[in-house]
Amino acid sequence: AIDSHKVIYGQARVSGALVYITTTDLTGGRAGKNELLHMVIALAGHQVHSFGDVWLDDVKVGALDGSGNVTSGDFAGLARIQFATGTTPQSAFADLVSESGGTWTSAHQGAGIASVYVRLKWDQDKFPGGIPQVRVLVRGALCYDPRTATAGYTHNPALILRDYLTAPRGLDCDSSEIDAASISAAADVCDEWVPLDTGTVLYVTADPALETFTTVDSGYTTTQVESRIQTGDKITLRATTAVPSPLTGSGTYYVIRRGPSTFQLATSYQNAIEGTPVTFTTAGALVRFHDIQQKRYTATGTFTRDMTPKDVIDDLLRSMAGTLVWTAGQWRMTAGAFVASTFSLTADHLRG
């Protein structure tokens, strides 16, 4: 069967269509053993910003070195993982060209397709179920922002909807058919910071080796797993004794969510959604996240190009309580927010 191209906006953990698979012998090993499995998986039918964590079945892969070799965790020494962001043009996976015996060549560029190349060394203990499912955290399409006249990675639903209206993967409208002022206004509404309830505080322990923070029982109140807190949320970092060095007490940071109870911090919202954490050298003591705020509206997720434009647009509009209308030859967008009245009705306006 032919799969429809997947489109990714914001971040999503996805697998995709297996477009190539073969086995080869291990260099220096016995001929015919086919100990190495090579797979190329198409993740999105367009250029994406970057890639994050990788999972083989339900096990997160450890750190990768500069060549994509896994150097820690369950698959250290058994896996090599490389990525292509889907630029046009882009180079074929050079290592696969070298190792595939001519079945994957320099002509296999996959231009415009974001993909992952995975090489696995057979290990019965690590892969008892056979070929594992490969899933990747993908940071998706780059979207134009009329407020800055630049394209970048975003979780802003107004900018994502504008991209869908103008991109070939969507309606392919001309930019002249988009009311830029309404897009900018809607994007501003989506970007407004909204505080969570004042009682929301996360007590955490810091691990300098992993650059992570993990929620803990404070001793005063049990910290619940806060499903509302997501990547990009703004917090104030505080501590009864000391914050991790060289981070700043009462400083503003932005959350990168790494698991149900594990977080990293970034120095800016953009760094947070792009997965660029701060580093620190000490654990501090009695550390907590205060004053948690979120963007008013965000959107992340995937769809396939066999979905109707109406369904895609409706989903994006729901994510920002928005509207989209065609008027005077342009698409005009709004995002849901209170607008102060500019006119007051009084008894003087009544007839009779």
Side-chain angles (χ1 to χ4, degrees):
I2 298 176
D3 288 340
S4 296
H5 281 189
K6 183 184 280 99
V7 177
I8 302 173
Y9 285 116
Q11 69 176 29
R13 186 166 71 171
V14 300
S15 188
L18 180 63
V19 297
Y20 175 85
I21 185 169
T22 194
T23 57
T24 62
D25 294 333
L26 184 66
T27 301
R30 291 174 56 189
K33 293 290 286 184
N34 293 323
E35 294 176 88
L36 297 179
L37 175 70
H38 305 261
M39 298 183 289
V40 177
I41 299 166
L43 300 172
H46 55 86
Q47 182 180 353
V48 302
H49 176 271
S50 59
F51 305 90
D53 292 328
V54 181
W55 290 260
L56 299 180
D57 287 332
D58 293 324
V59 180
K60 186 183 292 187
V61 172
L64 309 182
D65 67 14
S67 298
N69 298 300
V70 179
T71 58
S72 65
D74 286 0
F75 306 109
L78 298 175
R80 183 179 68 198
I81 301 172
Q82 300 173 353
F83 304 100
T85 57
T87 58
T88 302
Q90 69 180 357
S91 299
F93 292 111
D95 286 335
L96 182 54
V97 172
S98 173
E99 298 174 17
S100 65
T103 58
W104 189 273
T105 73
S106 58
H108 293 88
Q109 298 178 4
I113 304 294
S115 58
V116 58
Y117 160 44
V118 179
R119 189 190 74 175
L120 302 176
K121 180 182 176 183
W122 169 245
D123 186 297
Q124 186 170 359
D125 294 330
K126 298 298 184 183
F127 306 112
I131 299 174
Q133 182 186 37
V134 179
R135 291 181 295 167
V136 181
L137 180 69
V138 181
R139 302 182 186 97
L142 306 179
C143 301
Y144 179 81
D145 187 339
R147 300 172 298 178
T148 61
T150 59
Y153 176 63
T154 185
H155 291 186
N156 186 305
L159 301 182
I160 290 171
L161 179 51
R162 182 202 178 279
D163 183 83
Y164 182 75
L165 293 174
T166 57
R169 56 182 163 265
L171 297 190
D172 202 16
C173 296
D174 189 82
S175 60
S176 64
E177 297 177 292
I178 307 297
D179 181 347
S182 73
I183 304 296
S184 296
D188 284 344
V189 170
C190 295
D191 277 343
E192 292 172 353
W193 288 106
V194 179
L196 295 186
D197 49 277
T198 56
T200 304
V201 176
L202 286 190
Y203 291 83
V204 296
T205 56
D207 184 340
L210 298 177
E211 301 170 351
T212 58
F213 298 82
T214 303
T215 55
V216 294
D217 186 337
S218 68
Y220 304 100
T221 176
T222 300
T223 296
Q224 302 297 317
V225 174
E226 260 294 356
S227 59
R228 292 180 299 171
I229 298 174
Q230 299 296 330
T231 293
D233 290 358
K234 182 164 62 173
I235 62 103
T236 301
L237 185 66
R238 296 180 182 172
T240 303
T241 305
V243 300
S245 178
L247 304 185
T248 304
S250 297
T252 298
Y253 294 94
Y254 301 81
V255 168
I256 303 171
R257 186 152 197 160
R258 300 303 304 271
S261 58
T262 306
F263 306 86
Q264 291 180 303
L265 294 180
T267 56
S268 70
Y269 173 76
Q270 197 64 31
N271 282 349
I273 65 173
E274 292 180 4
T276 305
V278 296
T279 60
F280 49 93
T281 57
T282 67
L286 300 177
V287 182
R288 54 195 189 273
F289 297 171
H290 277 260
D291 308 324
I292 302 169
Q293 300 180 59
Q294 298 180 322
K295 296 284 189 178
R296 183 176 295 279
Y297 301 115
T298 60
T300 65
T302 73
F303 62 89
T304 54
R305 290 187 62 179
D306 56 356
M307 282 186 65
T308 66
K310 180 181 185 303
D311 287 341
V312 175
I313 291 170
D314 285 349
D315 284 347
L316 287 169
L317 288 174
R318 277 193 289 270
S319 74
M320 58 176 171
T323 64
L324 182 71
V325 296
W326 176 260
T327 179
Q330 288 188 314
W331 289 107
R332 179 177 175 82
M333 187 188 306
T334 64
F338 171 75
V339 178
S341 63
T342 58
F343 182 80
S344 298
L345 288 173
T346 69
D348 293 338
H349 295 98
L350 299 178
R351 295 184 63 184

